Amino acid sequence: MKQLFKQVFNSQKHLIRLILPLVTVILAASLFVAPAFATGVNQIPNLTAGNNTWVLDQGEVISRLNEGKINSAFEDLAKQTGKKVRIVTVRRLDYGETPESFSKELFEKWFPTKEAQANETLLVIDTVTNGTAIITGDEVKPILTDSIAESVATETVSVPLRNGNKYNQAFLDASDRLVAVLSGKADPGPPKITDNVKVEGTFKKSGETDQGNATAWVVGLLIAATVIPMATYYIYQINQPSSDG
């Protein structure tokens, strides 16, 4: 029996030695790998004079077909009115950065003077949080008022995202609305929000119940596999005869 307990105890120590390096690797990955994918303003390429980049999809959420449609719409808008719209998506912002602070810094980086900013509109979205922000130049504000611009960011873009991360629809709708307003047409307004709330029973479905029971069994067995050998060894140590006689 003593040999059996010794084997159990040694097996447990061996298991801990195997698990600890794995835990260390996971923690290191979460601390150092994730931030590597964060985007700061310095990582966004400069926008040179005459640059016709209308959509910078670093978040990779817009299809090529729809990106082409948006580029074409913004290109035509710039030629007809002189008003320019840029959309930027990023996958993750640097720690402490917000869509608002990021868009302001990028706006000033791309258009460093009031004259360069005057006819520009910049729409930014962080695809991890779906946070949005929009910033406009002085010549744009009389047409695209702050209230309309805010509605574009928080309603036209955000509503499709809340209803299933429909990025393509969100940016196509935003493009259509921005082009209409900046062309002097009537504001089509934000999308209509339909109430799809369904009243459901409070009883769980059989599949949910079975899955919950299975999870509870797995957790229970894992706890038992850890606690029982430790408790057994502890009891064994207590019942050992004293070496003092």
PDB file of all heavy atoms in Angstrom, residues 142-163:
ATOM      1  N   PRO A 142     -20.666  72.210 -42.561  1.00  0.00           N
ATOM      2  CA  PRO A 142     -21.964  72.830 -42.868  1.00  0.00           C
ATOM      3  C   PRO A 142     -22.917  71.898 -43.617  1.00  0.00           C
ATOM      4  O   PRO A 142     -24.141  72.050 -43.523  1.00  0.00           O
ATOM      5  CB  PRO A 142     -21.571  74.033 -43.751  1.00  0.00           C
ATOM      6  CG  PRO A 142     -20.164  74.342 -43.379  1.00  0.00           C
ATOM      7  CD  PRO A 142     -19.543  72.998 -43.109  1.00  0.00           C
ATOM      8  N   ILE A 143     -22.346  70.922 -44.346  1.00  0.00           N
ATOM      9  CA  ILE A 143     -23.190  69.980 -45.098  1.00  0.00           C
ATOM     10  C   ILE A 143     -23.412  68.711 -44.286  1.00  0.00           C
ATOM     11  O   ILE A 143     -24.547  68.286 -44.066  1.00  0.00           O
ATOM     12  CB  ILE A 143     -22.521  69.626 -46.448  1.00  0.00           C
ATOM     13  CG1 ILE A 143     -22.161  70.893 -47.217  1.00  0.00           C
ATOM     14  CG2 ILE A 143     -23.428  68.725 -47.281  1.00  0.00           C
ATOM     15  CD1 ILE A 143     -21.296  70.650 -48.438  1.00  0.00           C
ATOM     16  N   LEU A 144     -22.312  68.104 -43.872  1.00  0.00           N
ATOM     17  CA  LEU A 144     -22.373  66.900 -43.032  1.00  0.00           C
ATOM     18  C   LEU A 144     -22.236  67.360 -41.580  1.00  0.00           C
ATOM     19  O   LEU A 144     -21.143  67.404 -41.022  1.00  0.00           O
ATOM     20  CB  LEU A 144     -21.241  65.935 -43.411  1.00  0.00           C
ATOM     21  CG  LEU A 144     -21.214  64.582 -42.675  1.00  0.00           C
ATOM     22  CD1 LEU A 144     -22.422  63.742 -43.019  1.00  0.00           C
ATOM     23  CD2 LEU A 144     -19.930  63.825 -43.019  1.00  0.00           C
ATOM     24  N   THR A 145     -23.341  67.733 -40.996  1.00  0.00           N
ATOM     25  CA  THR A 145     -23.318  68.288 -39.645  1.00  0.00           C
ATOM     26  C   THR A 145     -22.815  67.248 -38.643  1.00  0.00           C
ATOM     27  O   THR A 145     -22.806  66.043 -38.925  1.00  0.00           O
ATOM     28  CB  THR A 145     -24.719  68.750 -39.221  1.00  0.00           C
ATOM     29  OG1 THR A 145     -25.592  67.605 -39.191  1.00  0.00           O
ATOM     30  CG2 THR A 145     -25.271  69.780 -40.198  1.00  0.00           C
ATOM     31  N   ASP A 146     -22.416  67.736 -37.475  1.00  0.00           N
ATOM     32  CA  ASP A 146     -21.907  66.821 -36.453  1.00  0.00           C
ATOM     33  C   ASP A 146     -22.941  65.767 -36.071  1.00  0.00           C
ATOM     34  O   ASP A 146     -22.602  64.614 -35.814  1.00  0.00           O
ATOM     35  CB  ASP A 146     -21.474  67.609 -35.209  1.00  0.00           C
ATOM     36  CG  ASP A 146     -20.211  68.418 -35.457  1.00  0.00           C
ATOM     37  OD1 ASP A 146     -19.502  68.127 -36.436  1.00  0.00           O
ATOM     38  OD2 ASP A 146     -19.932  69.342 -34.667  1.00  0.00           O
ATOM     39  N   SER A 147     -24.216  66.162 -36.026  1.00  0.00           N
ATOM     40  CA  SER A 147     -25.265  65.206 -35.637  1.00  0.00           C
ATOM     41  C   SER A 147     -25.442  64.122 -36.699  1.00  0.00           C
ATOM     42  O   SER A 147     -25.622  62.944 -36.377  1.00  0.00           O
ATOM     43  CB  SER A 147     -26.594  65.932 -35.404  1.00  0.00           C
ATOM     44  OG  SER A 147     -27.015  66.601 -36.584  1.00  0.00           O
ATOM     45  N   ILE A 148     -25.371  64.491 -37.972  1.00  0.00           N
ATOM     46  CA  ILE A 148     -25.489  63.494 -39.044  1.00  0.00           C
ATOM     47  C   ILE A 148     -24.253  62.594 -39.053  1.00  0.00           C
ATOM     48  O   ILE A 148     -24.368  61.366 -39.193  1.00  0.00           O
ATOM     49  CB  ILE A 148     -25.666  64.173 -40.419  1.00  0.00           C
ATOM     50  CG1 ILE A 148     -26.986  64.937 -40.474  1.00  0.00           C
ATOM     51  CG2 ILE A 148     -25.620  63.124 -41.534  1.00  0.00           C
ATOM     52  CD1 ILE A 148     -27.204  65.691 -41.772  1.00  0.00           C
ATOM     53  N   ALA A 149     -23.083  63.204 -38.892  1.00  0.00           N
ATOM     54  CA  ALA A 149     -21.842  62.414 -38.874  1.00  0.00           C
ATOM     55  C   ALA A 149     -21.872  61.403 -37.736  1.00  0.00           C
ATOM     56  O   ALA A 149     -21.512  60.229 -37.915  1.00  0.00           O
ATOM     57  CB  ALA A 149     -20.638  63.344 -38.735  1.00  0.00           C
ATOM     58  N   GLU A 150     -22.310  61.844 -36.560  1.00  0.00           N
ATOM     59  CA  GLU A 150     -22.405  60.936 -35.415  1.00  0.00           C
ATOM     60  C   GLU A 150     -23.404  59.823 -35.679  1.00  0.00           C
ATOM     61  O   GLU A 150     -23.192  58.658 -35.318  1.00  0.00           O
ATOM     62  CB  GLU A 150     -22.821  61.730 -34.174  1.00  0.00           C
ATOM     63  CG  GLU A 150     -22.912  60.915 -32.894  1.00  0.00           C
ATOM     64  CD  GLU A 150     -21.561  60.438 -32.404  1.00  0.00           C
ATOM     65  OE1 GLU A 150     -20.523  60.974 -32.876  1.00  0.00           O
ATOM     66  OE2 GLU A 150     -21.535  59.524 -31.554  1.00  0.00           O
ATOM     67  N   SER A 151     -24.506  60.160 -36.345  1.00  0.00           N
ATOM     68  CA  SER A 151     -25.516  59.151 -36.677  1.00  0.00           C
ATOM     69  C   SER A 151     -24.966  58.126 -37.665  1.00  0.00           C
ATOM     70  O   SER A 151     -25.268  56.928 -37.573  1.00  0.00           O
ATOM     71  CB  SER A 151     -26.755  59.826 -37.265  1.00  0.00           C
ATOM     72  OG  SER A 151     -27.702  58.872 -37.692  1.00  0.00           O
ATOM     73  N   VAL A 152     -24.147  58.580 -38.606  1.00  0.00           N
ATOM     74  CA  VAL A 152     -23.522  57.640 -39.567  1.00  0.00           C
ATOM     75  C   VAL A 152     -22.667  56.628 -38.822  1.00  0.00           C
ATOM     76  O   VAL A 152     -22.731  55.415 -39.085  1.00  0.00           O
ATOM     77  CB  VAL A 152     -22.678  58.409 -40.603  1.00  0.00           C
ATOM     78  CG1 VAL A 152     -21.845  57.425 -41.428  1.00  0.00           C
ATOM     79  CG2 VAL A 152     -23.561  59.237 -41.517  1.00  0.00           C
ATOM     80  N   ALA A 153     -21.857  57.125 -37.868  1.00  0.00           N
ATOM     81  CA  ALA A 153     -20.936  56.236 -37.146  1.00  0.00           C
ATOM     82  C   ALA A 153     -21.665  55.316 -36.179  1.00  0.00           C
ATOM     83  O   ALA A 153     -21.356  54.119 -36.096  1.00  0.00           O
ATOM     84  CB  ALA A 153     -19.895  57.067 -36.396  1.00  0.00           C
ATOM     85  N   THR A 154     -22.619  55.860 -35.436  1.00  0.00           N
ATOM     86  CA  THR A 154     -23.238  55.079 -34.356  1.00  0.00           C
ATOM     87  C   THR A 154     -24.506  54.341 -34.757  1.00  0.00           C
ATOM     88  O   THR A 154     -24.954  53.462 -34.025  1.00  0.00           O
ATOM     89  CB  THR A 154     -23.565  55.997 -33.161  1.00  0.00           C
ATOM     90  OG1 THR A 154     -24.494  57.017 -33.582  1.00  0.00           O
ATOM     91  CG2 THR A 154     -22.308  56.657 -32.622  1.00  0.00           C
ATOM     92  N   GLU A 155     -25.078  54.700 -35.924  1.00  0.00           N
ATOM     93  CA  GLU A 155     -26.309  54.026 -36.352  1.00  0.00           C
ATOM     94  C   GLU A 155     -26.136  53.343 -37.705  1.00  0.00           C
ATOM     95  O   GLU A 155     -26.311  52.123 -37.816  1.00  0.00           O
ATOM     96  CB  GLU A 155     -27.455  55.042 -36.411  1.00  0.00           C
ATOM     97  CG  GLU A 155     -27.827  55.626 -35.049  1.00  0.00           C
ATOM     98  CD  GLU A 155     -28.942  56.644 -35.136  1.00  0.00           C
ATOM     99  OE1 GLU A 155     -28.692  57.750 -35.677  1.00  0.00           O
ATOM    100  OE2 GLU A 155     -30.053  56.345 -34.683  1.00  0.00           O
ATOM    101  N   THR A 156     -25.791  54.118 -38.735  1.00  0.00           N
ATOM    102  CA  THR A 156     -25.673  53.526 -40.073  1.00  0.00           C
ATOM    103  C   THR A 156     -24.651  52.396 -40.106  1.00  0.00           C
ATOM    104  O   THR A 156     -24.883  51.352 -40.726  1.00  0.00           O
ATOM    105  CB  THR A 156     -25.290  54.595 -41.107  1.00  0.00           C
ATOM    106  OG1 THR A 156     -26.226  55.675 -41.038  1.00  0.00           O
ATOM    107  CG2 THR A 156     -25.290  54.016 -42.509  1.00  0.00           C
ATOM    108  N   VAL A 157     -23.515  52.595 -39.432  1.00  0.00           N
ATOM    109  CA  VAL A 157     -22.485  51.555 -39.391  1.00  0.00           C
ATOM    110  C   VAL A 157     -22.774  50.533 -38.294  1.00  0.00           C
ATOM    111  O   VAL A 157     -22.671  49.320 -38.511  1.00  0.00           O
ATOM    112  CB  VAL A 157     -21.084  52.181 -39.177  1.00  0.00           C
ATOM    113  CG1 VAL A 157     -20.033  51.091 -38.976  1.00  0.00           C
ATOM    114  CG2 VAL A 157     -20.710  53.060 -40.352  1.00  0.00           C
ATOM    115  N   SER A 158     -23.142  51.000 -37.126  1.00  0.00           N
ATOM    116  CA  SER A 158     -23.216  50.111 -35.954  1.00  0.00           C
ATOM    117  C   SER A 158     -24.402  49.154 -35.970  1.00  0.00           C
ATOM    118  O   SER A 158     -24.294  48.034 -35.478  1.00  0.00           O
ATOM    119  CB  SER A 158     -23.249  50.945 -34.672  1.00  0.00           C
ATOM    120  OG  SER A 158     -22.048  51.672 -34.524  1.00  0.00           O
ATOM    121  N   VAL A 159     -25.548  49.581 -36.528  1.00  0.00           N
ATOM    122  CA  VAL A 159     -26.731  48.706 -36.499  1.00  0.00           C
ATOM    123  C   VAL A 159     -26.489  47.387 -37.243  1.00  0.00           C
ATOM    124  O   VAL A 159     -26.755  46.313 -36.698  1.00  0.00           O
ATOM    125  CB  VAL A 159     -27.971  49.445 -37.055  1.00  0.00           C
ATOM    126  CG1 VAL A 159     -29.116  48.459 -37.294  1.00  0.00           C
ATOM    127  CG2 VAL A 159     -28.416  50.532 -36.080  1.00  0.00           C
ATOM    128  N   PRO A 160     -25.965  47.391 -38.477  1.00  0.00           N
ATOM    129  CA  PRO A 160     -25.682  46.106 -39.141  1.00  0.00           C
ATOM    130  C   PRO A 160     -24.654  45.264 -38.391  1.00  0.00           C
ATOM    131  O   PRO A 160     -24.687  44.032 -38.462  1.00  0.00           O
ATOM    132  CB  PRO A 160     -25.155  46.522 -40.520  1.00  0.00           C
ATOM    133  CG  PRO A 160     -25.703  47.885 -40.746  1.00  0.00           C
ATOM    134  CD  PRO A 160     -25.709  48.528 -39.392  1.00  0.00           C
ATOM    135  N   LEU A 161     -23.740  45.919 -37.681  1.00  0.00           N
ATOM    136  CA  LEU A 161     -22.736  45.161 -36.929  1.00  0.00           C
ATOM    137  C   LEU A 161     -23.371  44.485 -35.719  1.00  0.00           C
ATOM    138  O   LEU A 161     -23.000  43.367 -35.363  1.00  0.00           O
ATOM    139  CB  LEU A 161     -21.600  46.084 -36.486  1.00  0.00           C
ATOM    140  CG  LEU A 161     -20.836  46.790 -37.612  1.00  0.00           C
ATOM    141  CD1 LEU A 161     -19.655  47.570 -37.046  1.00  0.00           C
ATOM    142  CD2 LEU A 161     -20.349  45.786 -38.647  1.00  0.00           C
ATOM    143  N   ARG A 162     -24.294  45.162 -35.083  1.00  0.00           N
ATOM    144  CA  ARG A 162     -24.986  44.548 -33.937  1.00  0.00           C
ATOM    145  C   ARG A 162     -25.884  43.405 -34.387  1.00  0.00           C
ATOM    146  O   ARG A 162     -26.172  42.501 -33.596  1.00  0.00           O
ATOM    147  CB  ARG A 162     -25.814  45.601 -33.195  1.00  0.00           C
ATOM    148  CG  ARG A 162     -24.976  46.629 -32.435  1.00  0.00           C
ATOM    149  CD  ARG A 162     -25.821  47.369 -31.419  1.00  0.00           C
ATOM    150  NE  ARG A 162     -26.867  48.165 -32.034  1.00  0.00           N
ATOM    151  CZ  ARG A 162     -26.734  49.451 -32.357  1.00  0.00           C
ATOM    152  NH1 ARG A 162     -25.592  50.073 -32.141  1.00  0.00           N
ATOM    153  NH2 ARG A 162     -27.735  50.117 -32.911  1.00  0.00           N
ATOM    154  N   ASN A 163     -26.301  43.425 -35.637  1.00  0.00           N
ATOM    155  CA  ASN A 163     -27.185  42.379 -36.154  1.00  0.00           C
ATOM    156  C   ASN A 163     -26.425  41.327 -36.946  1.00  0.00           C
ATOM    157  O   ASN A 163     -26.842  40.907 -38.023  1.00  0.00           O
ATOM    158  CB  ASN A 163     -28.281  43.002 -37.031  1.00  0.00           C
ATOM    159  CG  ASN A 163     -29.206  43.901 -36.254  1.00  0.00           C
ATOM    160  OD1 ASN A 163     -29.430  43.678 -35.062  1.00  0.00           O
ATOM    161  ND2 ASN A 163     -29.747  44.928 -36.888  1.00  0.00           N
TER     162      ASN A 163
END
